[in-house]
Amino acid sequence: MADPVITTIEIILIIPVALILGVLFLFLFRKLNARFQWRVGPVIRMYSDLAPLIGKTRIWQPLYDILKLFGKDTIITDVAHRRLFMYSPYFSLLFAIAAAFFIPFPGMELLSSVPYSLVIASYLIISSILFTILGPVASGSPWGAIGARREVELFLVSELSFVLSIFSIALSSGTLVISEIADRGWSAPSILLSLTSGLLLFVAMLGKLHIKPFDMPEAEAEIVAGPYTEYSGKLLGIYFLSKTFLTYVLVALFIALILPPVSTSIFWLPAWAVAATALVFLLTVVQVLNPRYRINNALYWYVKVVIPVGLVSFIIAFFIRVVV
Amino acid sequence: MIFRADPDLVQFVREEIAPEGSEFKPLRENRVAVKVDLGLLDKLADRFVHKYGARLIHATAVDLDVLGFEVVHIYDFSKTKERLVVLLEASMSKEDPVVPSIAKVTWQASWAEREMMELLGIRFLGTPDYRHQFLPYEWPNPVEGGVSGGQMPGLGEEIDVKPSPQEMWIPLGISPKQAYSTLIPIGPYHPGVIEGQIVYVKVEGEEVVSADIKTGFHHRGIQKLIERRGYSKGVFTSERVCGICSAAHGLAYVTAVENLYESEIPDRAAYIRTLLVELNRAHSHLLWIGVVADVIGWKTGFMITWGLRERVMDIIESITGNRVNYGIWRIGGVSRDVSNELALKASAALKGLKDECSKLLLLVADHPVVKSRLVGVGPLSYSEAFEGGAVGPVARASNWKIDVRVDNPPHAMYDQKVISWQVITDDHCDTYGRTLVRVKELLVSLEIIMQCLDYLAKTSGEIRVKQKVIPVNSEGVGLNEAPRGELTYFMRASEYDQNLPQAIRIRTPSYRNNAIIPKMLVGSNLADVPVIMGSTDQCLACTDRVEIIDAKVETKKSILWDELVALSRKRRGREF
């Protein structure tokens, strides 16, 4: 465990860092998406004739979208369960930020070296998503109800993938502390393990971040905005903010667990940036190539892919643990 | 091309179809009008449908002022006799307008009868469905003599979706009885379907238990508007029924008017008409593929197809000067020629497009996730399609070879001996089949366009013939294959005025296809509801016959139109 003062400074520092990186990831996601679709997307360098009016760049567009919401009226419906409806976004944001404390960033160990930090981080991520389900259920909207129902189903299967992935890695390295996992050495079987459990974690990320083909909770054609239908103004802004943090958290967790030792030292920062960009690129490719699955197709697909890969992953982890 | 009556058909009707003692009136081309006794309508309908396999195109009624009402049933006999359209007419007094209903014989008349009940106050004996068609269901005293809140027989099965006010907005039931099913109103304004309508969908979990469709949010009485404006001005009004298939409406309208007298059009005009209608079909089908891609969440497919569509729109713009309402239709021809150079230029622009559309076909047909969303969704068998009265690609995807361009061609160049093209059918009988049919039709359309452009690039000639005097009290039917299916214009010339029609009735393809949507919805997954609704390529503006008014966008700085066009051209880097 590092010096408490340094850890405190790091914790204060990681909040803006996570926000900025989350916004950048979302920008990259949107920009790549647009380029794949013959569109322009948020421009990096604004046209010269428009620059004096709206600024030189639109890299912070995802953040502007959120800030705009904070300036809008928040409407709360009469049928909503008021307290749960209002507090859910805040709890979701709180847990997403808290999850960022337990995941190492190059040069910042944070709380990743506390005992059971892997379990804590995964529980915080789960809690954050849980509150994106509870709020909509309290909203009293049929769209919200169906969106939340789909979210629960998707959450269960993506969680299966998530848990299989992180615990096969934990088994192989014999620890539940993220900082130790992130600092583990490489061997031939561990490369194989990184492949299989990396695939599982990636697939779990698709479900958690609602990347197509798994964006059915927010299927706008059928159920308007799904869980977020009744949310507006600041509360919706808080939800989007929590999604921004969650994006950062999942990308950072992926790199920490799958690509050791990139998350350990400040000198690895360029590699971390490259890995994160590549990951966002891969997510975009999946998003661009696919239409949306039906929820039952999605469940079937998850079970079909996750269980065999998870089994292979566990066998490799067991092999590493016992033999190597 | 000259259009005259066919003596063969007239004889066939006289000997076989017309009942004894009926008045008999051959019209131009393949249309024959038979005046019968009012009581015979349902018996004749039964005989036509079951003996000759005839298909009801439309049922409507005409207000003849002091003479009373006249009910007109238009039948298509193309199954028994090639190219025959029979108009059954029966008149009645306005004091006691009672007609035997034929909705029990052929379900296709259901919507038409509801419309007549509502708009003209005619009563139908034995109609299974008395509800309002365009007014809200809750409107007091629905139809004179009708029963409030009657049941709607969805192609032979009973659909009961009459939500009570308490039931309507309960998302998650409190008592076990309420928790059993949820009523989801899709519409009146919903991101899945752009235009206004309500589809009441009752779901248990994600499965649709029952469904009902309610239209009427757009009705502006465009038919009455044309009746007031006269034949030549009506061309422009008819184009504004629909913003997407405006060319199809224009052609169907001029065909109907030209059907009122012994007309002829120059060959070149026929080619230009075909060219425009097919360009229209190409952009409409591209638009549809984009919409379905969007509905199943495939934004990339949406962007790509709409990008391709933009190129078709550019060609249309270069030919007619307009993107949406072309305004070049005239009675007896067209108003604007396509020069040889323009034809060559457009032909060059189309060549690349055709390759990309073929790639699109492969992309759509083979994508595993697209297939998983479309195969087996919204099933509609051949018999259901026939009974329900499906038209256009929806019917053709149920393996029914129905195409107005072959059966009753409009006044344009669709002769299969001159232009090589074929009718596309598919036996998937689901949304996937409808997608394939549309993508293949798009390619066929491009082929027809290329042949038309070839002709136009090599020849020159007249494009318009002067319109003759329209005889009073004559009747005409204009049929055309719109992108969504068979489009019908029924027109009756006035007895008193040579410039005004007495009545004009429009039956759009979406009017038919929307009516069978509830049937396709039952038993499907909620996630598939927008896909199924989209699969008919429904055009609510067509169904309700809207006039679209484009509001001018207000800008802080006033920019002149020419400046705006120049700016847009500059940014797009195009000449036109």
Side-chain angles (χ1 to χ4, degrees):
Chain A
M1 190 86 182
D3 185 4
V5 179
I6 295 173
T7 310
T8 314
I9 294 169
E10 282 176 355
I11 283 178
I12 294 166
L13 206 60
I14 193 71
I15 298 175
V17 168
L19 179 63
I20 289 167
L21 285 173
V23 168
L24 282 179
F25 292 154
L26 286 182
F27 162 79
L28 195 63
F29 185 70
R30 279 175 63 169
K31 183 75 185 170
L32 290 171
N33 235 308
R35 296 312 296 153
F36 275 118
Q37 295 174 347
W38 300 3
R39 290 189 287 123
V40 178
V43 287
I44 297 173
R45 203 163 150 266
M46 183 50 73
Y47 308 119
S48 56
D49 51 340
L50 293 176
L53 279 174
I54 49 175
K56 283 194 173 120
T57 176
R58 290 267 114 181
I59 284 184
W60 308 109
Q61 187 63 47
L63 188 62
Y64 297 152
D65 289 351
I66 295 168
L67 290 179
K68 177 202 76 178
L69 287 171
F70 280 93
K72 297 220 167 214
D73 280 353
T74 306
I75 300 162
I76 297 169
T77 52
D78 284 347
V79 289
H81 186 293
R82 202 180 166 87
R83 202 174 292 167
L84 192 56
F85 183 77
M86 281 180 69
Y87 291 153
S88 292
Y90 292 101
F91 276 113
S92 178
L93 176 65
L94 196 71
F95 285 122
I97 295 175
F101 297 158
F102 290 88
I103 295 161
F105 182 77
M108 287 198 260
E109 199 179 46
L110 295 159
L111 294 174
S112 64
S113 54
V114 300
Y116 304 110
S117 59
L118 184 62
V119 181
I120 297 169
S122 62
Y123 264 97
L124 287 172
I125 292 169
I126 291 169
S127 311
S128 176
I129 292 172
L130 203 63
F131 278 99
T132 65
I133 297 169
L134 282 180
V137 169
S139 75
S141 149
W143 315 116
I146 289 177
R149 208 192 87 121
R150 290 184 181 180
E151 176 84 58
V152 170
E153 290 178 14
L154 189 66
F155 169 70
L156 288 174
V157 278
S158 69
E159 205 52 39
L160 177 71
S161 173
F162 187 72
V163 168
L164 281 176
S165 165
I166 59 174
F167 285 105
S168 59
I169 292 169
L171 180 69
S172 76
S173 44
T175 172
L176 283 170
V177 181
I178 297 183
S179 67
E180 285 172 27
I181 294 173
D183 207 12
R184 71 180 192 270
W186 283 95
S187 64
S190 82
I191 292 173
L192 212 58
L193 180 70
S194 273
L195 278 179
T196 52
S197 51
L199 177 69
L200 284 178
L201 200 52
F202 183 75
V203 163
M205 278 172 80
L206 296 180
K208 286 187 193 303
L209 293 176
H210 298 167
I211 308 267
K212 279 168 180 139
F214 303 112
D215 69 331
M216 59 296 271
E218 295 170 26
E220 75 284 348
E222 306 128 56
I223 49 169
V224 196
Y228 308 123
T229 305
E230 288 301 331
Y231 278 96
S232 55
K234 292 165 199 70
L235 293 178
L236 186 62
I238 298 283
Y239 260 140
F240 283 176
L241 211 53
S242 111
K243 189 162 183 183
T244 314
F245 274 102
L246 204 63
T247 310
Y248 161 78
V249 163
L250 286 171
V251 170
L253 185 70
F254 185 93
I255 296 172
L257 296 183
I258 308 298
L259 301 169
V262 175
S263 297
T264 49
S265 159
I266 187 92
F267 302 110
W268 283 102
L269 196 60
W272 195 93
V274 170
T277 311
L279 192 58
V280 174
F281 180 79
L282 280 178
L283 289 174
T284 318
V285 169
V286 175
Q287 161 96 1
V288 166
L289 285 180
N290 288 302
R292 181 186 308 123
Y293 261 137
R294 230 172 285 144
I295 185 74
N296 48 353
N297 287 17
L299 302 185
Y300 178 69
W301 188 89
Y302 259 111
V303 171
K304 200 175 71 178
V305 170
V306 164
I307 289 179
V309 179
L311 214 61
V312 172
S313 195
F314 258 102
I315 291 168
I316 298 167
F318 195 70
F319 179 78
I320 293 171
R321 187 91 185 100
V322 175
V323 182
V324 187
Chain B
M1 298 168 90
I2 304 167
F3 307 102
R4 289 211 179 86
D6 187 345
D8 249 22
L9 292 179
V10 176
Q11 200 177 351
F12 174 77
V13 173
R14 192 193 299 276
E15 283 168 5
E16 290 240 353
I17 291 173
E20 275 179 35
S22 58
E23 221 179 296
F24 173 79
K25 189 164 92 183
L27 302 175
R28 266 66 51 194
E29 287 180 84
N30 52 354
R31 281 77 150 151
V32 181
V34 183
K35 220 167 180 121
V36 295
D37 195 37
L38 197 63
L40 280 176
L41 281 176
D42 54 340
K43 288 174 199 107
L44 281 175
D46 191 49
R47 204 176 108 206
F48 286 1
V49 172
H50 295 121
K51 193 177 167 195
Y52 298 106
R55 182 175 62 87
L56 184 78
I57 295 177
H58 193 37
T60 186
V62 180
D63 186 349
L64 294 176
D65 299 339
V66 289
L67 297 175
F69 292 125
E70 189 172 68
V71 175
V72 183
H73 291 172
I74 308 171
Y75 287 96
D76 170 29
F77 276 77
S78 47
K79 257 191 179 177
T80 359
K81 188 86 180 166
E82 207 182 325
R83 295 189 181 177
L84 173 61
V85 172
V86 173
L87 285 79
L88 275 190
E89 292 165 357
S91 47
M92 70 192 114
S93 73
K94 274 190 176 175
E95 283 72 40
D96 188 25
V98 182
V99 189
S101 164
I102 58 161
K104 275 185 176 164
V105 180
T106 160
W107 192 81
Q108 309 171 8
S110 167
W111 275 35
E113 288 186 351
R114 281 167 73 186
E115 187 184 331
M116 281 187 261
M117 286 193 276
E118 190 169 50
L119 296 182
L120 292 167
I122 297 173
R123 281 179 288 157
F124 284 87
L125 282 180
T127 306
D129 190 4
Y130 280 104
R131 292 176 306 170
H132 279 297
Q133 177 69 29
F134 296 121
L135 287 169
Y137 287 157
E138 300 81 19
W139 199 263
N141 190 18
V143 176
E144 208 182 327
V147 184
S148 168
Q151 304 283 302
M152 181 181 176
L155 290 187
E157 77 185 74
E158 286 210 347
I159 295 176
D160 175 24
V161 223
K162 189 79 171 61
S164 64
Q166 290 79 27
E167 197 186 11
M168 267 183 77
W169 293 104
I170 294 179
L172 286 175
I174 298 125
S175 71
K177 199 186 164 196
Q178 287 168 333
Y180 191 61
S181 59
T182 312
L183 189 94
I184 298 211
I186 296 190
Y189 299 101
H190 186 272
V193 204
I194 295 100
E195 292 162 87
Q197 65 167 3
I198 300 184
V199 176
Y200 292 108
V201 179
K202 203 176 239 174
V203 292
E204 278 174 20
E206 293 245 344
E207 198 201 334
V208 177
V209 194
S210 61
D212 184 21
I213 187 167
K214 177 79 186 77
T215 57
F217 292 83
H218 280 311
H219 199 278
R220 306 262 180 93
I222 206 163
Q223 295 171 153
K224 199 73 193 165
L225 205 60
I226 300 178
E227 284 172 16
R228 295 279 184 89
R229 299 191 71 192
Y231 296 114
S232 49
K233 287 183 189 167
V235 175
F236 307 104
T237 317
S238 74
E239 262 194 307
R240 280 153 179 82
V241 172
C242 178
I244 300 167
C245 45
S246 64
H249 279 274
L251 179 55
Y253 179 86
V254 292
T255 306
V257 177
E258 283 162 12
N259 198 223
L260 290 173
Y261 61 97
E262 295 259 327
S263 61
E264 68 167 302
I265 57 165
D267 273 3
R268 193 169 176 80
Y271 273 97
I272 294 175
R273 283 178 177 189
T274 308
L275 170 73
L276 272 179
V277 171
E278 292 306 319
L279 276 170
N280 196 239
R281 191 188 317 283
H283 98 68
S284 175
H285 279 354
L286 279 169
L287 177 136
W288 179 83
I289 297 161
V291 167
V292 158
D294 185 40
V295 162
I296 62 172
W298 191 26
K299 283 275 188 283
T300 317
F302 170 75
M303 295 290 169
I304 288 173
T305 45
W306 280 50
L308 292 173
R309 173 174 175 264
E310 211 47 42
R311 286 158 66 177
V312 182
M313 296 296 270
D314 283 342
I315 293 168
I316 293 176
E317 198 185 342
S318 67
I319 288 176
T320 66
N322 295 309
R323 276 166 65 90
V324 179
N325 293 315
Y326 312 132
I328 76 162
W329 306 99
R330 294 292 183 278
I331 297 156
V334 289
S335 72
R336 211 170 142 148
D337 199 1
V338 180
S339 69
N340 295 359
E341 299 83 59
L342 191 58
L344 283 175
K345 212 169 134 189
S347 168
L350 270 170
K351 266 191 188 113
L353 191 69
K354 208 183 159 194
D355 295 340
E356 297 203 26
C357 288
S358 322
K359 274 183 209 157
L360 185 72
L361 171 64
L362 292 177
L363 196 65
V364 173
D366 290 345
H367 196 300
V369 185
V370 172
K371 266 178 126 173
S372 81
R373 284 305 301 275
L374 299 182
V375 174
V377 169
L380 187 76
S381 68
Y382 172 80
S383 57
E384 283 169 344
F386 186 78
E387 197 194 329
V391 288
V394 179
R396 288 196 283 276
S398 298
N399 212 2
W400 181 9
K401 199 169 178 179
I402 167 180
D403 195 317
V404 176
R405 291 174 288 176
V406 179
D407 300 338
N408 302 294
H411 292 181
M413 179 51 74
Y414 279 115
D415 196 344
Q416 279 174 322
K417 287 167 204 149
V418 184
I419 289 183
S420 75
W421 67 281
Q422 65 284 345
V423 179
I424 304 284
T425 54
D426 195 276
D427 56 358
H428 276 87
C429 302
D430 57 8
T431 309
Y432 184 64
R434 279 160 227 152
T435 313
L436 288 186
V437 164
R438 286 206 177 83
V439 182
K440 284 177 187 165
E441 262 181 31
L442 167 65
L443 298 176
V444 170
S445 273
L446 291 177
E447 260 175 45
I448 299 177
I449 292 166
M450 293 299 267
Q451 292 175 47
C452 286
L453 285 172
D454 275 354
Y455 176 88
L456 293 172
K458 282 172 198 157
T459 57
S460 62
E462 281 287 301
I463 53 163
R464 194 176 169 189
V465 177
K466 206 171 174 232
Q467 177 197 330
K468 285 183 204 164
V469 175
I470 291 170
V472 291
N473 212 1
S474 116
E475 284 158 89
V477 179
L479 293 162
N480 182 22
E481 184 74 17
R484 286 154 188 77
E486 177 195 60
L487 171 65
T488 312
Y489 272 64
F490 167 74
M491 198 169 295
R492 173 185 271 272
S494 168
E495 256 185 88
Y496 320 107
D497 195 330
Q498 286 178 340
N499 293 318
L500 284 180
Q502 171 80 29
I504 172 153
R505 295 287 178 266
I506 309 170
R507 203 275 283 143
T508 56
S510 295
Y511 189 78
R512 274 296 171 70
N513 290 338
N514 281 354
I516 47 177
I517 284 181
K519 168 71 195 160
M520 294 195 269
L521 285 179
V522 173
S524 65
N525 193 304
L526 179 64
D528 295 331
V529 170
V531 185
I532 296 169
M533 277 156 61
S535 76
T536 61
D537 196 0
Q538 51 175 187
C539 177
L540 273 304
C542 284
T543 309
D544 297 347
R545 278 158 243 133
V546 65
E547 182 167 31
I548 300 161
I549 298 162
D550 211 3
K552 215 172 184 181
V553 182
E554 272 188 43
T555 43
K556 275 182 189 169
K557 195 174 67 171
S558 68
I559 300 173
L560 288 176
W561 174 250
D562 292 345
E563 265 180 73
L564 206 62
V565 172
L567 272 175
S568 129
R569 281 174 187 162
K570 196 179 141 198
R571 185 140 277 177
R572 290 193 301 170
R574 289 212 188 92
E575 285 169 30
F576 51 82

